[in-house]
């Protein structure tokens, strides 16, 4: 089978201004190639109707006028993100004379599937093996002549950051001649039969003039709604198309998208075996070995455990133990609060007004003490360690590690982004669930964020509360993880919908720079304090008012029997009520009770578990409504509230049954 | 994180982008007013923008 790349048979350079489009995944040096080709004469503008930036440059190659367009990063021709949609729209609508597919040569295997898709689409492709300097430094050789013959497209080596291979690339663009090529991948028989059945239905449609009919058929099998819409607008026989697609789906266990991805990956593996060689004397460097170890299920889990352990000692023991002990007990407890209570107590004779500042729920004694005395040192230590983890490049490797685990709960590594973000702030993370490919994934991720992902401040305080015992923190971690997996698994079985696949580029591991870590920590703290302090002060006022009119007592008395039934001391009722305002505020309340000696042992552990699983804070709940709609948001909150207490009850009774006293 | 005042490097996926382009979703967020997080247009990961204080110090240090 073959596909023709351009009906004309003249070199691309012969016809007026040449339009060259750069495509490729993020982090392949596409911008370096672009700047090398254009000499930085660049116009940046939003792509119409989007917020995505598109870089364009006009230049000349040996006297020929050339326009170069740098498209946003894409992992597949099947568009998921707005950037991928824009990249595809440029290929579809602007019909470039030459498409330069820029790849990171040292990761050729991961890059080739898009090359296959571009060739299948009938686009005039030149494969640009960029980062050849790094590839050669790793002892990797690539037989470009053989690769070019196998793919049927020109292949050029470059090291764009050093300016190497750019002149040869310019010449290759000028010399580009459309040819008929072999198709790179043959798929599963079911897929090929479906493609054959779809071809007559799509090949005379206007949309197909821009992409090959085979590519259109394959995109339809990937459930590409944008392509389906284009064909609908063109008046294609959509019912017949949908019938073929649903028949394919019914006849295979996996989704067609999965089968296509597997076939392309297999073809890429075979190709790399043919064209790539690694010199025997060049062992992979330590950084590469470490990177692989981080993504391996066994060694990766051990590394993750070590990271969590470091976090526990730094945030839980040092931050929440040493620093909070000093700030809350000494600075606020012995100096600031007694002094202010003395001064304001004398200045304001009316007790109820004085209480607004220095009472049980006073803006100073509760709001500021919690925000500065408890939360600030904990989040500071957490942000420091989180910035180190971020800057090292560990997070994307963690995503790859947990991809398998997430598949168990109907998600994939893409869901790691909102989940990891949730450890910072669940509100933002709920918005980020938009990047999930399917509605089903968005709902499951939103549910798990609201249920089992504590935000940074809450996580820090929980670490702090439980740092009295390693057994306690391990039990808490085990219970929350179990709930995360169990609820995720059940939700993935109950919520119907398509499963999605996951592709991701892994940036190199880096040694974090101290200045960067401190700058980021400072920026995060500034952001956090600006958000949290007004909120804590407002919550204190609301609690003070509730206390003054007796409403708080009614709420506390209503909640007391519930929390006592699950094994939590009645005094913790206030902490759970203020947990409605913000989870970290509630956790800080538990911390206060723990330092006062009221909350300890099993009750402390059960409180921490219930508080972690407890209903989302007001801001997160509002975002859930906005993103998922009233019904889903209420259903999630309605499930979480009793479920959190149920888990607490089961944990309490299990500990009692086993005779465990922590 | 920040390579200069305009460009940022995403700590998650390594994508370099214009910091001004990283605020596309913020209109939907109830805590957006005080938020100084910038969202990577490639993977949607959020990272704090450089603090004004740090930017000022950096600018002062650049001056001869």
């Amino acid at each position: 089978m073959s596909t023709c790349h351009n009906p004309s048979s003249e070199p691309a350079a012969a016809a007026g201004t040449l339009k060259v489009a750069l495509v490729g995944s993020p982090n392949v040096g596409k911008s370096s190639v672009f700047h090398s080709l254009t000499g930085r004469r660049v116009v940046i503008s939003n792509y119409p109707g989007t917020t995505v930036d598109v870089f364009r440059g006009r230049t000349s190659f040996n006297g020929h006028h050339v326009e170069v367009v740098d498209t946003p990063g894409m992992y597949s021709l099947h568009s998921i993100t707005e950037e991928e949609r824009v990249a595809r729209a440029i290929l579809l609508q602007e019909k470039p004379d030459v498409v330069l597919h820029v790849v990171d040569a040292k990761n050729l295997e991961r890059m080739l599937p898009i090359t296959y898709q571009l060739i299948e689409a009938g686009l005039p492709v030149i494969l640009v093996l960029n980062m050849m300097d790094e590839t050669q430094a790793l002892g990797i050789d690539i037989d470009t002549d053989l690769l070019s013959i196998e793919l049927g497209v020109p292949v050029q080596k470059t090291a764009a950051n050093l300016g190497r291979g750019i002149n040869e690339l310019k010449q290759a663009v000028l010399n580009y001649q459309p040819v008929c090529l072999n198709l790179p991948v043959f798929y599963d028989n079911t897929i090929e039969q479906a493609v054959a059945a779809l071809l007559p239905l799509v090949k005379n449609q206007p949309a197909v003039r821009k992409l090959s009919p085979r590519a259109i058929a394959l995109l339809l099998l990937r459930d590409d709604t944008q392509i389906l819409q284009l064909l609908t607008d063109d008046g294609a026989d959509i019912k017949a198309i949908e019938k073929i697609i649903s028949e394919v789906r019914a006849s295979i266990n996996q989704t067609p998208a999965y089968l296509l991805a597997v076939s392309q990956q297999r073809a890429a593996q075979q190709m790399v075996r043919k064209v790539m060689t690694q010199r025997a004397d060049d062992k992979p460097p330590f950084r590469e070995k470490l990177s692989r170890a981080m993504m391996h299920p066994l060694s990766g889990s051990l590394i993750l455990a070590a990271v969590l352990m470091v976090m526990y000692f730094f945030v839980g023991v040092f931050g929440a133990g040493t620093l909070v002990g000093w700030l809350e007990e000494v600075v606020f407890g012995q100096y600031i609060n007694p002094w202010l209570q003395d001064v304001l107590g004398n200045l304001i004779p009316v007790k109820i007004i004085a209480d607004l500042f220095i009472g049980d729920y006073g803006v100073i004694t509760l709001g500021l003490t919690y925000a500065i005395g408890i939360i600030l040192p904990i989040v500071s230590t957490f942000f420091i360690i989180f910035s180190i983890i971020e800057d090292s490049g560990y997070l994307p490797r963690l995503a790859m590690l947990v991809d398998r685990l997430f598949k168990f709960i109907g998600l994939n590594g893409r869901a790691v982004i909102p989940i990891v973000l949730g450890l910072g702030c669940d509100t933002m993370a709920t918005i980020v669930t938009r990047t999930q490919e399917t509605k089903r994934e968005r709902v499951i991720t939103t549910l798990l964020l609201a249920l089992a992902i504590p935000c940074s401040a809450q996580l820090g305080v929980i670490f702090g509360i439980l740092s009295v015992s390693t057994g306690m923190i391990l039990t808490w971690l085990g219970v929350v993880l179990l709930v995360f997996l169990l609820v995720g698994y059940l939700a993935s079985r109950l919520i119907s919908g398509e499963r999605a696949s996951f592709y991701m580029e892994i940036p190199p591991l880096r040694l974090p720079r101290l200045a960067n870590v401190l700058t980021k920590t400072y920026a995060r703290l500034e952001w956090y304090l600006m958000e949290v302090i007004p909120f804590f002060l407002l919550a204190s006022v609301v609690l003070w008012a509730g206390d003054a009119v007796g409403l708080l007592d009614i709420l506390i008395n209503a909640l007391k029997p519930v929390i006592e039934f699950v094994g939590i001391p009645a005094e913790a009722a206030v902490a759970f009520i203020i947990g409605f305002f913000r989870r970290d505020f509630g956790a800080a309340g538990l911390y206060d009770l723990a330092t006062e000696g009221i909350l300890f042992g099993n009750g402390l552990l059960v409180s921490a578990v219930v508080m972690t699983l407890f209903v989302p804070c007001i801001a997160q709940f509002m975002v859930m409504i906005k993103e998922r709609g009233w019904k889903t948001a209420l259903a999630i909150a309605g499930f979480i509230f009793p479920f959190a207490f149920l888990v607490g009850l089961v944990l309490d009774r299990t500990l009692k049954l086993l005779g465990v006293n922590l | 994180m920040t390579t200069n005042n305009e460009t940022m490097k995403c700590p998650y996926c390594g994508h370099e982008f214009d910091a001004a382009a990283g605020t596309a979703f913020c209109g939907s967020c109830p805590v957006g007013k005080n938020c100084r997080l910038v969202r990577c247009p490639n993977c949607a990961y959020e990272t704090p923008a450089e603090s004004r204080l740090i930017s000022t110090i950096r600018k002062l240090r650049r001056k001869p």
Side-chain angles (χ1 to χ4, degrees), chain A residues 458 543 573-587 611 614-618:
Chain A
Q458 191 196 17
L543 287 170
V574 180
F576 283 96
I577 287 169
I578 60 179
F580 279 117
F581 292 97
R582 274 189 69 103
R583 287 198 199 189
D584 46 348
F585 203 175
M611 185 64 82
F614 205 45
V615 284
C617 69
I618 289 173

Side-chain angles (χ1 to χ4, degrees), chain A residues 287 294 382-397 420 507-522 524, chain B residues 1-3 8-14 45-48 58:
Chain A
R287 201 168 63 165
M294 284 171 169
F382 181 84
F383 287 156
I384 288 173
I385 208 132
F386 197 73
S387 299
I388 293 172
I389 290 172
E390 249 184 13
D391 280 13
S392 65
Y394 179 60
L395 286 180
R397 286 161 179 84
V420 169
L509 277 178
R510 306 166 282 247
L511 205 58
R513 287 178 51 217
L514 182 67
N516 245 1
V517 168
L518 293 179
T519 311
K520 275 173 86 163
T521 305
Y522 177 77
R524 278 210 164 97
Chain B
M1 168 194 66
T2 310
T3 50
M8 291 184 78
K9 189 161 191 167
C10 172
Y12 192 84
C13 70
Y45 190 78
E46 283 173 330
T47 193
R58 217 183 275 274

